[in-house]
Amino acid sequence: MKISLENAADLLLKGNVVAVPTETVYGLAACLHELKAIEKIFLLKNRPPNNPLIIHLSNLSDLKSYVKDLPPFFNALAKKFWPGPLTFVLPIDETSIPKLVRAGLTTAAFRIPNHVVAQNLIHKTGPLVMPSANLSGKPSSTLRQHVENDFGESFPVLEGEICQYGIESTILIYHKNRWEIGRQGAISSEQIEEVLGYPPKISEKKENSPLCPGQLYRHYSPNAKLHMDASIPDSVEVVLGFSDRAYGNRRIFILGDSRNPSEVAHELYKNLRKLDEENISEAWVDMNFPKEDLWKSIRERLEKAASKL
Ligand code: TXA
Ligand code: MG
């Protein structure tokens, strides 16, 4: 259910949960110190409690209340990418952030969204924790309708649709004297390398102690089985493909133009969700696209979506 900025701020300040559009995907928001509301976020999403939340700020100066030391290159990275879809995991003053938010870690994740509605809201409410507004394991939401499909028609959703990027923020973690990418996302590793002068390592999935706990879980998956073979299996009638390519006489879900990764990122979750909305049980994904820049994040999302682990 669409609600106004005033209404959303009021609900949040009274300890409720509200869905909020950002430039990446919709978030499920609660005020940083409203523990009941934060517990409710974990329950609503069916999110494992050891998967921490990102804190969304409106100003760089707000960081001072939480963070002890800023790692090298933080200022240069923040100057270039904030406000925007880059999340930093930073060492914190543990007394300043509820344990529940950071899953007991001694670090927390922060970003300043570049979305006028989200920013106006945070100005009114103060810092908000916001995981993506989807059931755990499912594709994120890029439209109000997606949020309502997951949480019900009457769930409060702040008006101000337009998730410009369509995929989540990139997460950077300072580890062993280098910045590492904990989750690929809307800012490419190449863009980050331009600031750092070295290519940030992309964290491997480690079973026991991943740098980014979210790596442990299934993500972005529709119910449909996704095939990624080099060619289309005969039995498969549905294709997730590009507008500038032909796939014979099959039903096509269009991801966008194969020369335009921004368009494809923007359309990605909408298409993965459409497979479920239309009860599709199997689809072939055209993985014949570049391995650089934003395409790398798109590839990672699709591979995870296809994995049932
Ligand atoms: O674009 C985005 O980042 C969206 C919008 C709403 O801002 N939010 C989002 O949140 O994607 P979520 O909860 O779906 O993903 C947050 C990721 C998880 O993988 C989590 O493990 C990681 O951030 N994370 C949070 N705090 C962390 C920490 N202290 N150390 C390592 N990873 C952390
Ligand atoms: Mg998520």
Side-chain angles (χ1 to χ4, degrees):
M1 183 180 62
K2 203 195 276 189
I3 61 167
S4 68
L5 186 71
E6 285 65 33
N7 207 341
D10 193 47
L11 283 170
L12 287 163
L13 290 168
K14 287 184 175 145
N16 296 295
V17 176
V18 168
V20 175
T22 82
E23 81 279 30
T24 57
V25 298
Y26 272 85
L28 266 194
C31 288
L32 178 60
H33 292 285
E34 290 289 346
L35 297 186
K36 287 247 155 57
I38 298 170
E39 273 167 15
K40 192 171 167 200
I41 287 182
F42 280 90
L43 281 174
L44 280 167
K45 281 183 64 81
N46 194 19
R47 183 180 179 100
N50 63 351
N51 194 6
L53 307 176
I54 298 175
I55 300 164
H56 295 68
L57 306 172
S58 59
N59 281 298
L60 188 54
S61 58
D62 293 347
L63 257 190
K64 286 195 205 96
S65 331
Y66 312 108
V67 175
K68 288 185 287 194
D69 300 308
L70 291 170
F73 284 101
F74 169 84
N75 286 325
L77 289 161
K79 188 163 179 229
K80 173 109 191 223
F81 298 112
W82 270 8
L86 185 64
T87 294
F88 293 96
V89 172
L90 299 167
I92 48 146
D93 166 3
E94 287 169 54
T95 60
S96 66
I97 294 173
K99 246 185 171 167
L100 191 60
V101 169
R102 52 190 165 83
L105 299 173
T106 57
T107 56
F110 298 90
R111 88 177 186 96
I112 301 181
N114 189 13
H115 188 289
V116 70
V117 174
Q119 283 201 1
N120 289 342
L121 181 68
I122 301 169
H123 274 124
K124 285 179 182 286
T125 58
L128 294 176
V129 295
M130 280 201 255
S132 52
N134 54 277
L135 298 170
S136 278
K138 291 285 163 194
S140 302
S141 295
T142 54
L143 296 172
R144 177 163 53 89
Q145 184 209 323
H146 297 159
V147 181
E148 291 176 358
N149 286 349
D150 283 8
F151 302 110
E153 293 274 307
S154 58
F155 195 84
V157 185
L158 171 57
E159 65 184 341
E161 205 151 75
I162 295 185
C163 298
Q164 180 201 334
Y165 290 93
I167 60 170
E168 299 83 352
S169 62
T170 300
I171 299 181
L172 272 184
I173 306 175
Y174 195 68
H175 181 63
K176 294 190 178 159
N177 298 321
R178 305 277 266 192
W179 286 101
E180 213 170 289
I181 294 185
R183 175 180 72 185
Q184 300 184 73
I187 304 280
S188 69
S189 60
E190 287 84 349
Q191 285 173 285
I192 292 165
E193 180 179 354
E194 272 176 35
V195 177
L196 293 178
Y198 61 85
K201 184 177 159 198
I202 297 175
S203 269
E204 290 136 30
K205 182 175 167 174
K206 296 190 198 102
E207 285 309 325
N208 296 323
S209 55
L211 275 187
C212 185
Q215 284 179 322
L216 287 174
Y217 302 105
R218 195 177 150 208
H219 268 90
Y220 324 119
S221 295
N223 296 327
K225 178 172 170 44
L226 300 180
H227 298 267
M228 301 189 149
D229 328 44
S231 57
I232 313 180
D234 284 343
S235 60
V236 178
E237 287 299 319
V238 176
V239 169
L240 229 61
F242 300 103
S243 51
D244 52 322
R245 291 186 189 161
Y247 301 97
N249 202 10
R250 294 188 170 82
R251 173 132 188 244
I252 304 161
F253 286 67
I254 294 175
L255 292 168
D257 189 296
S258 71
R259 292 150 297 190
N260 187 345
S262 304
E263 184 188 7
V264 173
H266 186 261
E267 295 299 306
L268 188 63
Y269 293 140
K270 220 187 284 177
N271 276 289
L272 291 175
R273 281 176 170 267
K274 227 192 281 168
L275 294 174
D276 283 353
E277 285 157 22
E278 307 207 6
N279 284 320
I280 308 284
S281 57
E282 274 186 289
W284 179 77
V285 190
D286 186 350
M287 296 295 283
N288 183 15
F289 53 78
K291 294 196 159 61
E292 296 84 43
D293 301 307
L294 189 54
W295 288 114
K296 242 184 329 200
S297 307
I298 294 168
R299 183 175 296 276
E300 188 264 353
R301 296 296 189 272
L302 283 167
E303 283 172 353
K304 278 217 165 125
S307 149
K308 295 291 174 205
L309 298 176

